[in-house]
């Protein structure tokens, strides 16, 4: 085992899904705009004399995230100017928050380990520079300039690449549950960074030199970059090299982190209070109002699904990864309970609900992934889906027929009982009819009957197959087996 231990802090930026930008009335289109520089005005392009007006919705969103993570929402908060010049930031400074952020001190549970949240604050996003190939000029698009950006910083509690990835995944789920952001990493709506240092056994945990790794644009890359960086730093330290404090980026082609620039300290930003926006005050009543708006969060939902529906931990986890999938499952479950109440369903509710979980996670999810469809756009309503589950659980159709019905429902959105009738898929359970079918098969297969009576147990399977074929797969296999055994006594 290495004598060096990694210490990792995460920094996540996330664009908030508000209607307008952070300090002006421009539309916040989340990158949906078709042309450059269409959602711009004097404020977000930094014209002299333009005055910023903070977006209440964006502030509320960040406070909501804070409460969902068990943080303290500060009663007083203010904006500050963070000075740096880039062409995509025409003002020459970014409005951010320095020493009085909106939210502080919370935690997130990642597989039983606590990752402490240091702070969550509000700032504005920058524009985007482009460098067209083969030209000697740059272009700047300010559509994104001034989009509300949340920044979340953790304590250095993360210890591995896998944990870093899981932290980011869980944060994305929370942001989506709260409906404050789509947090799509591919679209740059959520951007993760990791600050990584190593300390030697016996020394102070924070004694190592911190390296910041940026441009981690997928969960997989978060994990790979952290794993790579731990290895790089360990090898450097073990061979007596010094770690340089710097910013590194992930190079997908080379599968390694590469140096980008040496890191400015906070001092270089020359933070000072934003003179155009007065400090903000939030009272208890306001904060409690936000707390009351919080929906059931993923962990609580998972726990409830296990308790209420008797689902396994894994199924409950899978079903709650996506809030809309969880809603779909619950609506199908309530249809199952309805059918039971009305007497249309005679089986056990728990079994049918379990079946619904299986079918959603295996069959439905396969369709959704293959066709890139969101569960909200599914043609099969949860009510029709729940009804199909009661039909399967009651043994009215067998599992291969169920697959066929589900496929038809997926394409047409029809209701299961009509499809079963139309396609004549109902399971044959009429023992009179089945007895006739069995007798005919026995008469036609004297050799197999003989074999069975002479102790060849397998012969009964062959006979069973013949009955199923004769009934076009619709016979209830259990009933057929019972009749066969009775006849062959
Ligand atoms: Zn604007």
């Amino acid at each position: 085992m290495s004598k060096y231990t990694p210490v990792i802090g995460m920094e996540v930026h996330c664009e908030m899904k508000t209607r307008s930008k952070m300090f002006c009335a421009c539309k916040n289109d989340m990158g949906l705009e078709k042309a450059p520089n269409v959602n711009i005005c004097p404020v977000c392009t930094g014209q002299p004399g333009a005055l910023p007006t903070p977006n209440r919705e964006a502030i509320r969103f960040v406070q909501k995230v804070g409460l969902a993570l068990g943080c303290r929402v500060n009663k007083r908060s203010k904006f500050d100017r963070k000075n740096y010049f880039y062409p995509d930031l025409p003002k020459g400074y970014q409005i951010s928050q320095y020493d009085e952020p909106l939210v502080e001190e919370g935690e997130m549970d990642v597989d039983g380990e606590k990752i402490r949240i240091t702070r969550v604050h509000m700032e504005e996003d920058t524009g985007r520079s482009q460098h067209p190939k083969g030209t000697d000029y740059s272009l700047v698009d300010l559509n994104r300039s001034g989009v509300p950006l949340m920044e979340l910083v953790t304590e250095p509690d993360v210890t591995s690449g896998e944990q870093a990835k899981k932290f980011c995944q869980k944060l994305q789920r929370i942001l989506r549950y709260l409906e404050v952001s789509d947090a799509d990493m591919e679209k740059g709506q959520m951007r993760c960074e990791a600050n990584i240092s190593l300390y030697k056994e016996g020394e102070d945990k924070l004694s190592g030199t911190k390296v910041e790794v940026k441009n981690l644009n997928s969960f997989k890359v978060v994990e790979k970059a952290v794993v790579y960086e731990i290895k790089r730093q360990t090898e450097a330290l073990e061979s007596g090299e010094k770690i340089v404090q710097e910013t590194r980026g992930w190079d997908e082609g080379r599968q390694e982190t590469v140096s980008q620039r040496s890191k400015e300290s906070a001092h270089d930003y020359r933070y000072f209070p934003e003179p155009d926006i007065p400090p903000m005050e939030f009272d208890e009543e306001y904060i409690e109002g936000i707390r009351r708006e919080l929906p059931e969060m993923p962990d609580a939902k998972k726990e409830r699904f296990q308790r209420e529906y008797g689902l396994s931990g894994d199924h409950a986890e899978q079903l709650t990864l996506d809030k809309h999938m969880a809603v779909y499952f619950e609506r199908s479950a309530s249809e199952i309970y309805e059918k039971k109440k009305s007497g249309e369903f005679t089986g056990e509710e728990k079994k049918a609900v379990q079946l619904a979980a299986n079918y959603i996670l295996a069959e439905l999810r396969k369709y959704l992934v293959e066709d890139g469809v969101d569960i909200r756009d599914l043609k099969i309503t949860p009510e029709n889906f729940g009804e199909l589950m009661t039909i399967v659980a009651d043994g009215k159709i067998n599992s291969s027929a169920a697959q066929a019905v589900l496929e038809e429902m997926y394409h047409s959105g029809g209701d299961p009982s009509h499809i079963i009738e139309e396609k004549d898929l109902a399971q044959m359970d009429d023992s009179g009819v089945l007895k006739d079918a069995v007798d005919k098969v026995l008469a036609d297969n004297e050799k197999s009957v003989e074999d069975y009576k002479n102790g060849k147990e397998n012969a009964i399977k062959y006979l069973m197959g013949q009955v199923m074929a004769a009934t076009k797969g619709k016979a209830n296999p259990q009933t057929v087996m019972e009749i066969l055994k009775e006849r062959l006594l």
Side-chain angles (χ1 to χ4, degrees), residues 274-328:
E274 166 59 56
D276 290 336
I277 306 173
M280 300 166 281
E281 309 261 356
F282 306 100
D283 61 22
E284 200 57 52
E285 199 183 333
Y286 166 86
I287 296 167
E288 280 314 305
I290 302 176
R291 202 188 297 279
R292 279 195 299 273
E293 274 174 26
L294 290 181
E296 184 180 38
M297 298 310 290
D299 283 348
K301 207 183 268 299
K302 176 188 166 185
E303 195 268 326
R304 183 170 61 79
F305 277 14
Q306 285 178 265
R307 184 165 30 87
E308 234 175 86
Y309 302 111
L311 297 183
S312 69
D314 181 50
H315 274 178
E317 164 107 19
Q318 297 290 323
L319 283 171
T320 51
L321 284 181
D322 175 354
K323 177 181 177 177
H324 305 292
M325 188 178 274
V327 168
Y328 191 92

Side-chain angles (χ1 to χ4, degrees), residues 21-27 39-45 142-143 145-146:
K21 288 188 179 180
M22 189 60 222
F23 298 111
C24 60
C26 286
K27 254 207 277 186
N39 293 330
I40 58 172
C41 75
V43 174
C44 56
T45 55
L142 297 175
N143 280 338
S145 175

Side-chain angles (χ1 to χ4, degrees), residues 9 40 54 66 73 107 133 182 194 221-222 227 246-247 273 293 365 376 386 395 398 413 422 444 462 466 482:
I40 58 172
V73 169
E107 61 181 34
K133 266 201 182 124
D182 292 335
V221 167
V222 169
V227 168
E246 62 182 348
T247 298
E293 274 174 26
R365 195 159 57 173
R376 281 170 290 178
N398 59 33
E422 223 169 77
D444 292 348
Y462 172 77
Q466 294 300 304
E482 277 163 25

Side-chain angles (χ1 to χ4, degrees), residues 10 13 28 68 82 94 110 217 247 274 303 339 389 395 401-402:
M10 304 301 295
H13 284 89
N28 172 15
K82 180 181 183 180
Q94 179 186 35
V110 178
N217 54 13
T247 298
E274 166 59 56
E303 195 268 326
K339 294 267 175 213
M389 293 302 108

Side-chain angles (χ1 to χ4, degrees), residues 198-267:
L198 264 53
Y199 71 94
K200 204 174 178 174
E201 210 174 295
E203 282 182 7
D204 182 65
K205 209 179 144 184
L206 299 176
S207 59
T209 305
K210 201 162 78 178
V211 172
E212 188 181 65
V213 188
K214 288 193 167 202
N215 303 341
L216 309 176
N217 54 13
S218 73
F219 294 125
K220 211 187 257 172
V221 167
V222 169
E223 180 171 21
K224 283 198 284 191
V226 171
V227 168
Y228 177 86
E229 196 52 29
I230 293 172
K231 184 165 167 274
R232 183 187 75 85
Q233 291 186 25
T234 306
E235 285 169 3
L237 290 168
E238 277 171 354
S239 63
E241 274 173 57
K242 266 212 157 114
I243 302 297
V244 184
Q245 181 175 343
E246 62 182 348
T247 298
R248 297 175 75 87
W250 176 251
D251 186 321
E252 187 59 28
R254 287 157 61 180
Q255 292 286 301
E256 57 187 45
T257 63
V258 291
S259 181
Q260 288 184 327
R261 60 184 155 98
S262 62
K263 171 92 179 135
E264 308 93 345
S265 66
H267 176 72

